Amino acid sequence: MATPEYSEITRNGLWNNNPALVQLLGLCPLLAVTGSVVNAIGLGLATTAVLVCSNLAVSLVRRQMPETVRLPASVMIIATFVTCAELLMKAFTYELYLVLGIFIPLIVTNCAILGRADAFASKNPVLPSVVDGLMMGLGFSAVLIVIGAVREIIGRGTLFSDMDLLLGPAAANWTLPVLGADYSGFLVAVLPPGAFLVAGLLIAGKNAIDASIERRQKLGADIVRGSKRVRTTGKIQ
């Protein structure tokens, strides 16, 4: 199997095959914990770390892992790194861990992670697998952060509130009153229906951009074909 180019891996992870917007994987945490930017960053970092480490481990043992046990072995590897991420969050960002709750251990069941381990890391060398895990994690995290930012701004009128949960007391005053101090908030935005609406708008926006790019490329190809010169031969009397 030919190893994909790193540029292709990057494009797939961030845009063309984004886990959240294209594959529609990991929607449970995506919709449940994106009520604020700090929650989105915390879950995104944990998910990205697990993706990178699990892809690395699966790629390292891919030749020693029989096909019959590849799936359960991948699950065990992922569970190991999720446990490590959970313990690290308990040690260094305990308050944020309490906010995210069950969704940290539920990273084990995120199909995006298991899918990359099975579809990519088990068939490719170590470095491309690590890059794939990193790009898929960054693509997933970017969607988490955008949804979290939109919901926080519309729902509370602020941005970067409670960042001290992740970065400590130094970030306690990072809150930006985007919509003014008198904004009373919009409850639907911070509830699950708000997450569905924002995610749907992001998916629709990506599809519209892809369609526009495809139309421009097709138009450019038609122009190139139509502008080819016809070569003639013969003598002019």
Side-chain angles (χ1 to χ4, degrees):
M1 179 180 177
T3 303
E5 295 289 336
Y6 293 112
S7 58
E8 180 185 355
I9 294 173
T10 301
R11 286 194 302 270
N12 285 339
L14 298 179
W15 187 261
N16 293 340
N17 199 27
N18 186 282
L21 298 182
V22 179
Q23 301 179 59
L24 301 180
L25 299 175
L27 291 183
C28 179
L30 182 81
L31 300 174
V33 303
T34 53
S36 65
V37 171
V38 66
N39 292 356
I41 294 175
L43 184 65
L45 288 175
T47 303
T48 301
V50 172
L51 262 167
V52 171
C53 294
S54 60
N55 270 19
L56 171 64
V58 170
S59 180
L60 284 172
V61 300
R62 69 186 188 280
R63 301 188 190 281
Q64 289 75 38
M65 204 160 35
E67 185 75 22
T68 53
V69 300
R70 188 174 69 190
L71 190 60
S74 298
V75 172
M76 292 298 295
I77 291 172
I78 294 169
T80 300
F81 289 115
V82 170
T83 302
C84 293
E86 184 179 6
L87 293 175
L88 286 171
M89 289 194 72
K90 281 184 178 180
F92 296 104
T93 57
Y94 185 67
E95 291 81 5
L96 181 60
Y97 170 78
L98 293 178
V99 172
L100 297 177
I102 190 64
F103 293 101
I104 294 299
L106 280 180
I107 293 175
V108 175
T109 64
N110 191 326
C111 295
I113 300 176
L114 183 58
R116 297 322 295 170
D118 185 62
F120 193 94
S122 64
K123 302 172 184 176
N124 287 281
V126 172
L127 188 55
S129 298
V130 170
V131 175
D132 177 77
L134 178 62
M135 292 302 119
M136 286 290 171
L138 291 178
F140 185 74
S141 299
V143 177
L144 283 173
I145 293 170
V146 171
I147 294 177
V150 172
R151 293 180 66 192
E152 183 178 346
I153 291 172
I154 298 176
R156 304 180 186 176
T158 62
L159 189 62
F160 302 128
S161 62
D162 301 323
M163 288 298 292
D164 55 303
L165 296 178
L166 179 64
L167 302 177
N173 298 321
W174 285 18
T175 303
L176 301 177
V178 178
L179 299 182
D182 297 331
Y183 183 70
S184 59
F186 185 57
L187 182 60
V188 173
V190 297
L191 294 176
F196 275 105
L197 290 173
V198 177
L201 289 173
L202 287 180
I203 294 170
K206 182 192 181 301
N207 291 341
I209 293 172
D210 287 342
S212 176
I213 294 173
E214 185 178 353
R215 284 196 301 269
R216 286 200 298 268
Q217 290 175 343
K218 185 177 180 181
L219 180 61
D222 292 340
I223 292 174
V224 170
R225 285 197 297 268
S227 63
K228 289 182 179 178
R229 296 180 179 179
V230 178
R231 183 177 180 182
T232 59
T233 58
K235 296 181 179 180
I236 300 176
Q237 302 293 337

